[in-house]
Amino acid sequence: MKIEKYLPSEKLQPFIESLMIIESEAGMHNSILPDTAAVMAFRLKGGISYSDAAVQEHFPDSILSGLRKAPHAVHYEKNTAMLLVKFREGGATAFLRTPLHEISNTSISLDLLLKNTDEITSRLMEARSNTQRIRIISTFLEKALLQQEQDAMITYAVQQIRSAKGTASIPALLQELYISRDAFEKRFRRYVGTTPKHFSNIIRFKNIIDTHTVNQSLTATAYAAGYFDQAHFIRDFRIFTGKAPREFFRDGAYW
């Protein structure tokens, strides 16, 4: 597998974390863990399929994947390639009229959300180099921008949840922001794509996975993440990764 990562243009940087081109000559199978932001994907060549639980579907030419509660699998056949647009939290809202929570736990064909996606996909497939592909997709996204500013309140809330590694007190955050829970949650779901609680859980488990070492016991890992009941920790971990903690860290095949 070959991965090339590119920084977005200055105009796109407030909304997009990175652009990636993934190529596989031999074919591969990846488990994709829940993440904190939507991802836009374009098939460049070859056959790609993705599955959730027992449902498997062929990858269309372009899709947008929303935030998920559980992992999903992506299978690349031989000689395949795809381009990914990894948004920042809430970044996809700058390009869409559809609230992000309406596409949570699913992937939707991009032509249902944006115009001219068939034309752009064809140009990406026909491009002679990855550098040219990045220019094509960057120009397309710059023209597709609907708004130039982020939601300052939700952006601040996301930063506080991140700083606390997913353990921030939502009631305390509501007091600081002078907003009711109902109004905050509606605004958060529309902008980020999920509830503050679920977003916090994703941050917490990503931190667990990033910081766990082979020398650290799972009990210590659970306590460090704020769990005092190991059975509860294992249950939540299995929901997030599809595996028990020991099995997950042993296998190590995930994104």
Side-chain angles (χ1 to χ4, degrees):
M1 178 176 66
K2 178 183 177 183
I3 300 177
E4 294 184 8
K5 191 171 182 178
Y6 302 83
L7 291 176
S9 65
E10 184 176 350
K11 188 175 182 179
L12 296 175
Q13 284 180 14
F15 314 103
I16 295 174
E17 178 184 309
S18 63
L19 306 168
M20 298 172 61
I21 294 179
I22 302 173
E23 300 176 80
S24 175
E25 294 183 358
M28 64 180 183
H29 181 85
N30 270 330
S31 179
I32 313 297
L33 299 181
D35 210 338
T36 57
V39 175
M40 188 181 290
F42 296 83
R43 184 176 63 85
L44 302 178
K45 65 177 180 177
I48 305 170
S49 61
Y50 59 95
S51 60
D52 298 285
V55 180
Q56 182 168 343
E57 300 181 54
H58 286 290
F59 197 97
D61 287 341
S62 61
I63 65 168
L64 184 75
S65 290
L67 274 68
R68 297 174 181 266
K69 294 183 178 179
H72 65 289
V74 177
H75 175 72
Y76 295 74
E77 297 177 5
K78 292 182 179 180
N79 299 314
T80 58
M82 67 188 305
L83 185 153
L84 300 181
V85 179
K86 298 191 69 175
F87 291 98
R88 299 186 186 278
E89 289 91 351
T93 58
F95 305 87
L96 306 174
R97 299 189 186 280
T98 303
L100 281 187
H101 68 271
E102 293 187 8
I103 58 169
S104 63
N105 294 305
T106 190
S107 295
I108 185 169
S109 183
L110 198 58
D111 60 7
L112 298 176
L113 302 170
L114 293 175
K115 298 178 180 179
N116 302 321
T117 55
D118 289 343
E119 176 189 347
I120 292 301
T121 301
S122 296
R123 291 180 61 196
L124 289 171
M125 289 180 176
E126 295 167 1
R128 295 184 178 182
S129 69
N130 287 343
T131 301
Q132 186 179 7
R133 291 186 175 101
I134 295 301
R135 285 199 297 266
I136 291 169
I137 194 62
S138 296
T139 300
F140 168 70
L141 290 169
E142 287 178 2
K143 291 180 178 178
L145 267 174
L146 298 174
Q147 59 192 53
Q148 304 293 326
E149 296 181 358
Q150 298 168 298
D151 186 319
M153 175 182 287
I154 303 303
T155 299
Y156 175 78
V158 164
Q159 291 171 345
Q160 294 303 106
I161 293 170
R162 275 194 171 279
S163 297
K165 300 177 181 178
T167 62
S169 167
I170 301 302
L173 194 55
L174 295 176
Q175 283 191 328
E176 182 181 356
L177 296 174
Y178 298 102
I179 188 172
S180 70
R181 176 180 288 273
D182 184 59
F184 176 72
E185 290 201 352
K186 286 181 179 178
R187 192 161 159 181
F188 196 98
R189 287 175 66 241
R190 182 180 181 87
Y191 186 76
V192 176
T194 190
T195 64
K197 181 179 180 180
H198 179 225
F199 180 82
S200 296
N201 283 340
I202 296 175
I203 293 293
R204 177 161 64 165
F205 275 98
K206 286 175 68 69
N207 181 69
I208 289 171
I209 291 167
D210 290 343
T211 60
H212 178 77
T213 67
V214 293
N215 298 322
Q216 186 179 31
S217 71
L218 291 176
T219 301
T221 298
Y223 286 159
Y227 283 92
F228 298 99
D229 181 343
Q230 193 165 16
H232 186 193
F233 168 69
I234 293 172
R235 184 193 67 191
D236 285 0
F237 195 97
R238 191 183 291 275
I239 292 172
F240 187 81
T241 67
K243 298 179 179 180
R246 198 175 305 280
E247 178 188 10
F248 175 85
F249 288 118
R250 182 194 65 209
D251 294 347
Y254 61 90
W255 275 16

